[in-house]
Amino acid sequence: MPNHAIAKNYIVSTAESKCATCSLREICLPVGLDEDETELLGNLINHKYRIRRGEHLFHAGLAFKSLYAVRNGFFKSCVLDSDGRQQVTGFYMTGELLGLDAISSEKHTCDTVALEDSEVCEVPFIKLEEISRRIPLLMHHFHKIMSREIVQDHAIMMLMGGRKAEERLAAFLLNLSERFAKRGYSSTNFILRMTREEIGSYLGLKLETVSRSLSRLQEEGIITINNKNVRLNDIYRLSHKISGYSD
Amino acid sequence: MPNHAIAKNYIVSTAESKCATCSLREICLPVGLDEDETELLGNLINHKYRIRRGEHLFHAGLAFKSLYAVRNGFFKSCVLDSDGRQQVTGFYMTGELLGLDAISSEKHTCDTVALEDSEVCEVPFIKLEEISRRIPLLMHHFHKIMSREIVQDHAIMMLMGGRKAEERLAAFLLNLSERFAKRGYSSTNFILRMTREEIGSYLGLKLETVSRSLSRLQEEGIITINNKNVRLNDIYRLSHKISGYSD
DNA sequence: CGAGTTATTGAACTGCCTCAAGGTGTGTGG
DNA sequence: CCACACACCTTGAGGCAGTTCAATAACTCG
């Protein structure tokens, strides 16, 4: 089990913790499994854990045993570098998979922290690989998830490489918006679970720059921002920020 | 097959194009396969292709069918954004795997271009997944490769997020150095296959800044650079550039 | 050899960072 | 429920690293 904090908060297996009957199946798992395959899934999840806001799911350096699927809530992962700076490498919401970076070295390379009270499903990696052999669709689905992570990272590199602060923020907000929409939440009205500093770290900016850019977007009427609450008033203009069009 | 240019340059299958007897086996493939498993590998590679300097291996948008293992040579991949800017997302050398980003959407998201005359082994992805089912070690190895790509991308995000130009260059050179060393080439003396602009794009800098930073490192005696030829004179000081130590 | 690409270097500019001060929100303990 | 402490956010002013623009030099390859 990941660490002491979690040990105290694990949730006993119930019918609901079976993937087969999970309400998130369509987000987490491939579609089109037959009955036998669905039956096999029963063994995939070990436990569910409750992680409270501010708690670590795992620390960098910890031996890698399991991936964790976000059942609900919101996480960040970040790497600490030699001189103590924190680089946020990703934000994760319902249905997304945590710990993929750890497969290569068999150690976690990130700290992963809940940004709100959350629940995760523990997926022992050995089991995932085992069951994958029996369910080609599951294997393929897993490959797609890893690939998606790579694509997402490339998008961030792209932002950091050549975009101005305001453009990065626009892209960031739109990305969140889409992901919320996919989960049935409002795409125009949501809460930023992370701090300005965390946003800045993720986008390669300082927190003051994040704050100023958000204020600017608000002055332009494109968004309304009140502390952690954002409303996207004009998605069209917001997305045109990114493409470098002037209107 | 990937595109017209390649069609003309494919190399007929020979004994040498079997993974089982390939000289790169230790770089490409997991160790510890038994005879049966090694036999199964025979079917993994479709063709080898010769790609000349400047030619594309594949273009962004192309339907995804295969991954490509670099047999020898050097590649870059890059994404083009809406207003035509090019972001280099990675450099790839012998034994590394190209096209991982394409799995998620079943379309290539990068252009991938040879920076010197190169050869690649085509690995049809369906076949890879099929054979993986029969060879757990191969599946696991593949997962590690994907994970390594994620870790590498995080390292770049880290550089872009909080490092100064000279530090980024130092990290870049050391990364190349290690990868060359692992392949039996000199770790202190190598050729930069890519242009200053490509380095800059990869690291989130302009080509002039790359040039200036390299010149600075040379003035300090840490490296010697002559056009594309680099010599790392003082790896110790070079690595201390990164950690933010002052000496 | 010559045309085009790539690299170096200089000078001026600018967007982001740094430092600083004050404001707002949140959660905890009395 | 209030008050206090702490964490987070906003805004301003000034500085600087890296960009932009420009001119020249060096290399590459037909």
Side-chain angles (χ1 to χ4, degrees):
Chain A
M1 70 199 56
N3 69 25
H4 192 63
I6 291 172
K8 293 188 296 193
N9 291 302
Y10 93 97
I11 300 166
V12 182
S13 267
T14 63
E16 204 183 75
S17 78
K18 298 247 175 198
C19 293
T21 54
C22 176
S23 60
L24 298 173
R25 243 191 91 164
E26 305 81 45
I27 301 180
C28 255
L29 292 169
V31 294
L33 299 186
D34 63 32
E35 274 185 44
D36 293 347
E37 291 172 332
T38 304
E39 177 58 28
L40 274 170
L41 280 183
N43 302 313
L44 188 54
I45 300 302
N46 214 8
H47 290 298
K48 292 200 297 181
Y49 293 105
R50 208 187 302 276
I51 318 288
R52 271 170 309 199
R53 192 160 95 84
E55 284 180 348
H56 275 73
L57 173 57
F58 49 75
H59 289 268
L62 189 79
F64 169 67
K65 291 281 184 348
S66 298
L67 299 170
Y68 296 89
V70 181
R71 187 159 159 71
N72 58 60
F74 204 95
F75 289 84
K76 71 165 176 180
S77 14
C78 49
V79 286
L80 238 63
D81 78 7
S82 40
D83 46 326
R85 207 176 48 84
Q86 189 182 87
Q87 170 73 39
V88 173
T89 56
F91 296 108
Y92 297 86
M93 53 177 80
T94 302
E96 297 178 328
L97 210 47
L98 293 161
L100 295 173
D101 55 279
I103 298 168
S104 71
S105 61
E106 284 160 17
K107 277 191 185 144
H108 287 282
T109 64
C110 298
D111 288 280
T112 296
V113 180
L115 298 182
E116 64 178 319
D117 293 354
S118 302
E119 284 176 28
V120 296
C121 301
E122 181 182 4
V123 183
F125 188 58
I126 288 186
K127 237 183 228 181
L128 175 61
E129 288 194 332
E130 237 174 64
I131 298 179
S132 283
R133 293 184 62 195
R134 323 280 224 51
I135 313 180
L137 267 177
L138 179 64
M139 176 180 4
H140 190 64
H141 187 72
F142 176 61
H143 294 160
K144 284 193 169 189
I145 289 173
M146 293 208 88
S147 175
R148 195 175 56 199
E149 184 93 7
I150 292 168
V151 172
Q152 173 84 9
D153 288 345
H154 288 175
I156 293 298
M157 288 165 59
M158 185 124 208
L159 284 185
M160 287 185 163
R163 294 305 191 172
K164 298 202 185 301
E166 217 171 296
E167 299 171 331
R168 297 187 205 185
L169 261 302
F172 176 70
L173 292 173
L174 286 168
N175 177 275
L176 285 181
S177 165
E178 278 171 29
R179 285 155 76 194
F180 281 124
K182 198 168 290 177
R183 285 158 182 78
Y185 299 113
S186 167
S187 67
T188 56
N189 216 315
F190 48 85
I191 296 175
L192 297 172
R193 256 46 243 215
M194 68 297 282
T195 67
R196 304 288 189 264
E197 185 167 19
E198 286 160 345
I199 297 172
S201 169
Y202 185 55
L203 297 175
L205 300 168
K206 291 293 154 187
L207 69 97
E208 296 93 330
T209 306
V210 172
S211 182
R212 274 185 253 272
S213 301
L214 290 174
S215 298
R216 174 99 48 100
L217 287 171
Q218 179 162 237
E219 280 165 29
E220 297 178 47
I222 297 175
I223 67 172
T224 305
I225 185 149
N226 190 322
N227 209 28
K228 305 249 184 202
N229 302 287
V230 212
R231 173 194 295 271
L232 310 185
N233 297 318
D234 191 340
I235 293 209
Y236 179 79
R237 278 204 290 156
L238 195 59
S239 42
H240 277 63
K241 283 276 168 191
I242 304 170
S243 316
Y245 302 162
S246 57
D247 71 13
Chain B
M1 72 199 55
N3 69 24
H4 191 63
I6 291 172
K8 293 187 297 192
N9 291 303
Y10 93 98
I11 300 165
V12 182
S13 267
T14 62
E16 204 184 75
S17 78
K18 297 249 176 196
C19 294
T21 54
C22 176
S23 59
L24 298 174
R25 243 191 91 163
E26 305 81 45
I27 301 180
C28 255
L29 291 169
V31 294
L33 299 186
D34 65 30
E35 273 186 45
D36 291 349
E37 290 172 332
T38 304
E39 179 57 29
L40 274 169
L41 281 183
N43 301 314
L44 188 54
I45 300 301
N46 214 7
H47 289 299
K48 291 199 299 180
Y49 293 106
R50 207 186 304 274
I51 318 290
R52 271 169 309 198
R53 190 160 97 83
E55 284 180 349
H56 276 73
L57 173 57
F58 49 76
H59 289 268
L62 188 78
F64 169 67
K65 291 281 187 345
S66 299
L67 299 169
Y68 297 90
V70 181
R71 187 158 159 72
N72 58 61
F74 204 96
F75 289 83
K76 70 164 175 180
S77 15
C78 48
V79 287
L80 238 62
D81 78 7
S82 40
D83 47 326
R85 207 176 47 84
Q86 187 181 89
Q87 170 73 39
V88 173
T89 55
F91 296 109
Y92 298 87
M93 51 178 82
T94 303
E96 296 177 328
L97 209 48
L98 292 161
L100 295 173
D101 56 278
I103 298 169
S104 71
S105 61
E106 284 161 17
K107 277 191 185 145
H108 287 280
T109 64
C110 297
D111 289 279
T112 295
V113 181
L115 298 181
E116 63 178 320
D117 293 354
S118 302
E119 284 175 27
V120 295
C121 300
E122 180 182 6
V123 183
F125 188 59
I126 289 186
K127 237 184 229 180
L128 176 61
E129 288 193 331
E130 237 172 64
I131 297 180
S132 283
R133 294 182 61 196
R134 321 283 224 48
I135 314 181
L137 268 176
L138 180 64
M139 178 184 353
H140 189 64
H141 187 73
F142 176 61
H143 293 160
K144 283 193 170 190
I145 289 173
M146 294 209 87
S147 175
R148 193 175 60 198
E149 184 92 7
I150 292 170
V151 172
Q152 172 84 10
D153 288 345
H154 288 175
I156 293 297
M157 287 165 61
M158 186 123 206
L159 284 185
M160 287 185 163
R163 294 306 191 173
K164 298 202 182 303
E166 218 171 293
E167 300 172 330
R168 298 186 204 185
L169 261 300
F172 176 70
L173 291 173
L174 286 168
N175 177 275
L176 284 181
S177 166
E178 278 171 29
R179 286 155 76 194
F180 280 125
K182 198 168 288 175
R183 284 158 183 79
Y185 299 113
S186 167
S187 66
T188 56
N189 217 314
F190 47 85
I191 295 174
L192 297 172
R193 257 43 246 214
M194 68 296 283
T195 65
R196 303 290 190 263
E197 185 166 21
E198 286 158 346
I199 296 172
S201 170
Y202 185 55
L203 298 175
L205 299 167
K206 291 292 153 187
L207 71 96
E208 295 93 331
T209 307
V210 172
S211 183
R212 273 186 253 272
S213 301
L214 290 174
S215 298
R216 175 98 50 100
L217 289 172
Q218 177 161 239
E219 281 165 29
E220 297 178 47
I222 296 175
I223 67 172
T224 305
I225 185 150
N226 190 321
N227 210 29
K228 305 250 185 200
N229 302 286
V230 212
R231 172 193 297 268
L232 310 185
N233 297 318
D234 190 339
I235 293 210
Y236 179 79
R237 277 204 289 157
L238 194 58
S239 42
H240 277 63
K241 283 276 169 193
I242 303 171
S243 315
Y245 302 162
S246 57
D247 71 15

